[in-house]
Structure formats: structure tokens, C-alpha cells
């Protein structure tokens, strides 16, 4: 089990896909057969993290609690932190400072989906780094939408630029950050950008300037989907459906991860499966017991 604590940032300016204040948060929308929030939660669980806080807007917090509860059904602990105003991704480390209590952390954005055979290995390697931080670079066709990382000829990170107009690299920094216990203090020392936000790129640069940030490239065998638009949400749903129906294996299943990690036993898994008995997911969970 990891000693890190986990953060899921489900708030921020991109909380909704529809301009209706009463609409459900996009992180609770389905990605094929599960709520979107299950996928980032599963990544933290795969990393062995059992103590996780979910940062949401005040308006959405009740919906998230109804969906996830306190985590005990998965053998983990979930708590909730309200984000009064969306002031940048790095703000999460300030909001979560009391929760972290001086521990290192892994933060993931609530609309990110990761998949790949080597994902558990990448997570374990990042978790082993006790000082500094590890983030991941992923090649994309539209890097101007993201924080972009430039590498030297030995694949060492040189700089990270937030949403550059003219990207000099195709590698985006994904929404998964393994940082040490100095993250909150570093975030407090940041100056808001021209957008009025505490930029995650600036936070990462503080590590980069101290030569303690590792940026690992995710290769062709990995998939990273940022479901921040209608089109990308549809793409993610089709991706999950194709893999699950082709392989007969689930992606983003907290129940399966908890069971395989030994955090819940067969009886607890059977209870969870009963909740989904009318859909294929319930049968899939029961088959894990055979």
C-alpha cells in the first residue's frame, strides 16, 4: 500500500459540458457503462492509494457523495473538500494541505482516463520516488490545449509551457501528478498567471528548476483520454466499449481493483455485484469469484 495520499480534482472551470447551472457535473456523466469519476479513482487505487480526497464545487459535492460515498465499500477512505472558486489546478494543493498533513500525494484530474498494460508499473515507479515529483508526457496532435513539455536530445525535460499558442513540442503533460510533501508550500508561493490562476505548469517548473522533476513519456502502448469536450467524451465511451466487449475485461472498476488488492473480501464483492445484477457489470464481478 502506498504511503501517499490521493487527490481527485473534480472542480475547476471545466466542471460542466453544458451551460446550465443545474446540470450534472461532467465527471458524473457516464463513460459507456460507468461514471467518469470511476476512471481517475481507479488509477489512484491501482497505485495502492487508499486515502483520497475529492475536490468539488459546493454545488456538486452532494452528487459526488451520493455516487462514491465514503469509500468503505471499496476498502478505501474518501473525503470531500469544497473549492470555493476555481483558481487553477495548483490551487488543489492549497485546498488539500490539511488533508495531506505533510504527506506526498498523487493528484489526478477528474475527467482523465488512462489505460495500458504497463500502467501499474508506471504508477509503482512514480510512487517509489520519495523526493521531487513525477509527471507523464503524452504525444498529442493538439498540444496547444495542454501544458506542453520540451525535452532535450536525451529526453530530459527542459521546460513546461501552459497552453502555448505555438507549441514547440507534441508532448502534453497528462493530468496525473506524483509530487512530494513540498507541493502545498510551493503552490502557496506561486503568483497567479495572466489568466488569474495558479498554473500547474508553474508549480511543476518549481520542481524542474530544483532538478527534482521527472517527466516520463507514455509510449504507444498507453492511452490517455481527456474527456473535456463532447467529442472526447464520446470517443472515451467508444474506446471503453470496444475494449470491454472485445476482451471481456472491465476498465475502471473500483470493485475489481479493491478485491484484487485484498481490500475487500469475497462476501463484500458479492454484495457489490448484487447492486448491479441487472446489468453485465454485476455478472462480471461475480465471475471474479469463480
Amino acid at each position: 500500500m502506498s504511503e501517499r495520499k490521493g487527490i481527485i480534482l473534480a472542480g475547476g472551470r471545466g466542471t460542466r459540458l453544458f451551460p446550465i447551472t443545474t446540470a450534472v457535473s461532467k465527471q458524473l456523466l457516464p463513460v459507456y457503462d460507468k461514471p467518469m469519476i470511476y476512471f481517475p479513482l481507479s488509477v489512484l487505487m491501482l497505485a495502492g492509494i487508499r486515502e483520497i480526497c475529492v475536490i468539488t464545487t459546493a454545488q456538486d459535492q452532494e452528487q459526488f457523495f451520493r455516487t462514491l460515498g465514503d469509500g468503505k465499500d471499496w476498502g478505501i477512505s474518501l473525503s470531500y473538500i469544497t473549492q470555493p472558486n476555481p483558481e487553477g489546478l495548483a490551487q488543489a494543493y492549497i485546498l488539500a494541505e490539511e488533508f495531506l498533513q505533510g504527506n506526498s500525494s498523487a493528484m489526478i484530474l477528474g475527467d482523465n482516463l488512462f489505460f495500458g498494460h504497463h500502467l501499474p508499473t508506471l504508477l509503482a515507479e512514480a510512487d517509489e520516488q520519495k523526493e521531487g515529483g513525477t509527471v507523464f508526457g503524452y504525444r498529442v496532435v493538439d498540444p496547444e490545449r495542454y501544458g506542453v513539455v520540451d525535452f532535450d536530445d536525451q529526453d530530459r525535460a527542459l521546460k513546461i509551457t501552459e497552453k502555448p499558442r505555438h507549441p514547440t513540442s507534441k508532448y502534453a503533460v497528462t493530468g496525473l501528478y506524483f509530487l512530494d510533501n513540498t507541493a502545498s508550500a510551493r503552490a502557496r508561493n506561486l503568483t497567479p498567471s495572466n489568466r488569474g490562476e495558479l498554473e500547474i505548469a508553474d508549480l511543476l517548473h518549481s520542481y524542474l528548476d530544483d532538478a527534482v522533476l521527472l517527466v516520463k513519456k507514455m509510449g504507444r502502448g498507453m492511452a490517455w483520454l481527456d474527456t473535456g469536450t463532447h467529442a472526447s467524451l464520446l470517443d472515451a465511451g467508444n474506446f471503453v466499449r470496444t475494449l470491454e466487449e472485445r476482451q471481456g475485461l472491465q476498465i475502471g472498476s473500483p470493485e475489481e481493483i479493491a478485491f484484487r488488492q485484498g481490500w475487500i473480501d469475497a462476501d463484500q464483492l458479492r454484495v457489490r455485484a448484487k447492486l448491479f445484477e441487472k446489468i453485465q457489470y454485476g455478472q462480471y464481478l461475480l465471475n471474479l469469484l469463480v
Side-chain angles (χ1 to χ4, degrees):
M1 184 181 69
S2 173
E3 297 179 357
R4 291 178 187 267
K5 293 189 176 185
I7 303 170
I8 300 177
L9 181 55
R13 300 190 189 279
T15 302
R16 285 170 173 74
L17 288 175
F18 304 95
I20 303 173
T21 57
T22 57
V24 68
S25 171
K26 70 178 181 182
Q27 286 90 0
L28 295 173
L29 294 173
V31 175
Y32 184 46
D33 58 353
K34 301 179 199 70
M36 184 189 300
I37 195 68
Y38 272 31
F39 295 92
L41 173 64
S42 295
V43 170
L44 296 182
M45 292 174 66
L46 276 175
I49 296 172
R50 300 183 69 176
E51 195 170 350
I52 300 168
C53 74
V54 184
I55 299 178
T56 76
T57 66
Q59 178 180 347
D60 293 334
Q61 194 167 97
E62 182 181 352
Q63 298 176 38
F64 276 94
F65 185 78
R66 286 202 305 267
T67 301
L68 301 174
D70 59 9
K72 66 180 181 182
D73 289 335
W74 299 311
I76 63 176
S77 172
L78 290 177
S79 56
Y80 298 84
I81 295 174
T82 299
Q83 182 184 42
N85 297 294
E87 296 175 352
L89 301 186
Q91 181 196 31
Y93 293 97
I94 298 174
L95 296 174
E97 187 169 16
E98 183 176 346
F99 164 77
L100 293 175
Q101 294 181 325
N103 286 277
S104 57
S105 63
M107 183 174 82
I108 188 168
L109 304 187
D111 58 1
N112 276 215
L113 185 156
F114 293 85
F115 176 79
H117 176 71
H118 296 295
L119 180 59
T121 300
L122 289 175
L123 296 174
E125 290 174 351
D127 185 52
E128 287 175 1
Q129 185 173 343
K130 303 306 179 185
E131 295 183 359
T134 300
V135 295
F136 303 93
Y138 191 89
R139 185 179 174 87
V140 295
V141 297
D142 52 353
E144 64 277 1
R145 292 182 52 211
Y146 306 98
V148 175
V149 57
D150 288 334
F151 295 93
D152 64 15
D153 55 6
Q154 295 183 348
D155 274 349
R156 292 176 300 200
L158 294 175
K159 67 176 182 177
I160 298 171
T161 308
E162 186 68 26
K163 295 180 173 64
R165 291 186 178 181
H166 304 289
T168 55
S169 165
K170 290 289 188 181
Y171 279 90
V173 177
T174 73
L176 177 60
Y177 316 90
F178 283 74
L179 300 180
D180 67 11
N181 60 1
T182 67
S184 295
R186 290 174 184 267
R188 287 193 176 279
N189 287 329
L190 296 179
T191 300
S193 67
N194 293 334
R195 303 192 303 166
E197 298 189 358
L198 299 179
E199 303 287 359
I200 192 69
D202 291 340
L203 177 60
L204 297 180
H205 246 292
S206 76
Y207 282 91
L208 196 58
D209 292 342
D210 290 340
V212 290
L213 181 70
L214 180 62
V215 183
K216 289 192 172 185
K217 289 183 178 180
M218 287 184 165
R220 293 191 179 194
M222 290 294 302
W224 169 52
L225 300 174
D226 173 359
T227 57
T229 66
H230 298 94
S232 59
L233 179 62
L234 179 61
D235 289 343
N238 288 330
F239 176 82
V240 171
R241 178 185 177 185
T242 299
L243 285 174
E244 290 186 352
E245 293 192 354
R246 180 74 170 176
Q247 297 185 325
L249 300 172
Q250 285 286 322
I251 303 173
S253 169
E255 285 83 6
E256 179 176 6
I257 296 170
F259 180 64
R260 296 194 184 282
Q261 297 271 40
W263 300 344
I264 62 174
D265 59 24
D267 289 338
Q268 291 170 299
L269 181 61
R270 197 172 285 109
V271 170
R272 292 296 298 174
K274 183 73 173 177
L275 297 175
F276 307 103
E277 62 181 347
K278 293 185 179 181
I279 59 176
Q280 185 177 356
Y281 186 53
Q283 188 58 52
Y284 175 84
L285 295 179
L286 288 176
N287 288 342
L288 297 176
L289 300 172
V290 177

